[in-house]
Amino acid sequence: MKKVIVSIALIAAAATSASAQFSITAGYINNGNTISGLNKGVSEIMKMKGSDNRYDINNIPLTATLSQNGGYIGVSYGIGLGDGGFKFTPGIQFQMANVTAKVAITQNAQNFHTVKSNAAYTNEVAKNGKIKASINSYDVVVPLKFSYEFETAGAVKPYIFVDPSIRCGVAFNVTGEVTSGDETYKTRKAFNLYNPDIKSAVPEVLLVPKEGPDGPEPAELEEDDAKMIDKYGRLNRFDVMLGGGFGMIISDHIGIEFGYNFGLLNKLPRHDDLDIDITKFKFRTNTFFAGISYIF
């Protein structure tokens, strides 16, 4: 009996290794970071401020999308499932994406205020001032692809796949600068929305100078304000993606594929201690990808 079990195990291992294929892959991604439910969120805020029903816009859909372009690299291991064209291909990828937004200010007297007690700092952005913000995201993604490959007589074998995957955000960094005339004010370091540290990121020009016993001291953000921003400005790192696509294998060694994944989880965390339900806003990331692989 033991010999039979060992024989079956060896045969199964041989069949698996014969149909298993290691591959390296690289490609292009486009992340669509979508915030939906803006109508419900705004209505909640207006309700909190005591506004009447004239400001209820729950029935008006409002959505904002921030599109990032980038690329990915990764490795995968394809395992044949049975004698047909079914295959399971787990893998791991590192993805990078960026978007830079620029806004030109064309009118005078656009003011930024930071107020503490009776002190106020006002910076007037002159005509033709500019604001630039850059958002860089870095993610580790574990795709768990199930595919079906169609048998053909030629060198090209098409296939279709479903692609559940797990995404872990490494960083979602925001940097920015404001230009007014000859002056440019920049964030002092990247502001990571997965692990905020607003005190060290916000430009000094937006902070209130503090008066010490020996005169003005370096400006800094109030501790309570910084803690609030760091807590409520934090995004969830983890996401579950589900999608699919199609591709082709050329001469058994070159793979080309296209796919789209939908983010299923809301990246905005729930905070029960807030006066408004922040989860009225839905922040999800959907990803289009196109890649090429070399199959060993």
Side-chain angles (χ1 to χ4, degrees):
M1 184 64 180
K2 289 183 179 179
K3 292 182 178 181
V4 174
I5 295 175
V6 171
S7 300
I8 293 174
L10 290 174
I11 294 172
T16 300
S17 61
S19 60
Q21 294 177 306
F22 174 79
S23 62
I24 58 174
T25 183
Y28 162 81
I29 62 170
N30 176 270
N31 287 337
N33 300 288
T34 301
I35 302 178
S36 59
L38 291 176
N39 51 334
K40 297 179 181 179
V42 171
S43 294
E44 283 279 308
I45 294 173
M46 299 306 294
K47 187 190 304 181
M48 182 184 69
K49 293 181 176 294
S51 300
D52 57 34
N53 290 332
R54 289 177 300 171
Y55 299 98
D56 186 347
I57 57 173
N58 274 293
N59 295 323
I60 304 174
L62 294 175
T63 300
T65 299
L66 182 68
S67 180
Q68 294 176 291
N69 294 305
Y72 70 92
I73 56 174
V75 295
S76 61
Y77 194 73
I79 304 170
L81 302 176
D83 295 331
F86 290 100
K87 184 182 292 186
F88 171 54
T89 309
I92 187 168
Q93 298 175 356
F94 180 69
Q95 300 185 353
M96 303 162 286
N98 165 268
V99 63
T100 299
K102 299 179 180 180
V103 177
I105 302 172
T106 57
Q107 68 268 22
N108 288 317
Q110 296 292 317
N111 296 324
F112 295 97
H113 297 276
T114 301
V115 181
K116 176 179 178 295
S117 302
N118 294 324
Y121 178 84
T122 301
N123 175 41
E124 182 174 295
V125 180
K127 189 174 183 179
N128 297 323
K130 297 178 181 179
I131 299 175
K132 182 171 74 172
S134 181
I135 300 176
N136 297 276
S137 62
Y138 306 90
D139 302 282
V140 174
V141 177
V142 178
L144 304 169
K145 183 170 65 179
F146 294 87
S147 62
Y148 180 79
E149 182 180 301
F150 298 93
E151 190 65 37
T152 62
V156 178
K157 298 178 181 178
Y159 64 90
I160 57 176
F161 64 89
V162 293
D163 190 27
S165 56
I166 301 170
R167 183 200 298 266
C168 176
V170 177
F172 198 88
N173 290 339
V174 180
T175 58
E177 63 181 51
V178 178
T179 301
S180 174
D182 296 329
E183 299 288 339
T184 298
Y185 311 105
K186 299 181 179 180
T187 48
R188 288 177 285 177
K189 72 171 211 175
F191 179 53
N192 183 3
L193 292 178
Y194 293 131
N195 186 27
D197 182 15
I198 189 66
K199 286 185 70 173
S200 61
V202 67
E204 292 185 4
V205 70
L206 299 181
L207 302 178
V208 179
K210 298 179 68 175
E211 287 295 330
D214 300 321
E217 295 181 347
E220 63 178 26
L221 195 66
E222 284 297 298
E223 191 69 31
D224 290 343
D225 294 339
K227 288 181 178 179
M228 183 182 70
I229 294 173
D230 290 347
K231 178 180 179 180
Y232 298 117
R234 188 184 302 267
L235 297 180
N236 290 324
R237 291 181 183 270
F238 292 95
D239 197 3
V240 175
M241 316 285 288
L242 182 61
F246 65 93
M248 64 188 74
I249 297 175
I250 304 172
S251 300
D252 294 329
H253 290 291
I254 302 298
I256 300 174
E257 68 180 21
F258 304 87
Y260 195 88
N261 277 332
F262 297 89
L264 303 182
L265 302 184
N266 185 7
K267 288 189 173 183
L268 294 175
R270 184 179 183 88
H271 293 288
D272 294 328
D273 55 335
L274 279 176
D275 292 329
I276 64 171
D277 182 4
I278 196 171
T279 57
K280 293 286 186 179
F281 302 97
K282 304 294 183 182
F283 182 8
R284 293 188 173 95
T285 299
N286 302 326
T287 301
F288 166 80
F289 60 92
I292 184 169
S293 303
Y294 183 80
I295 306 167
F296 293 88

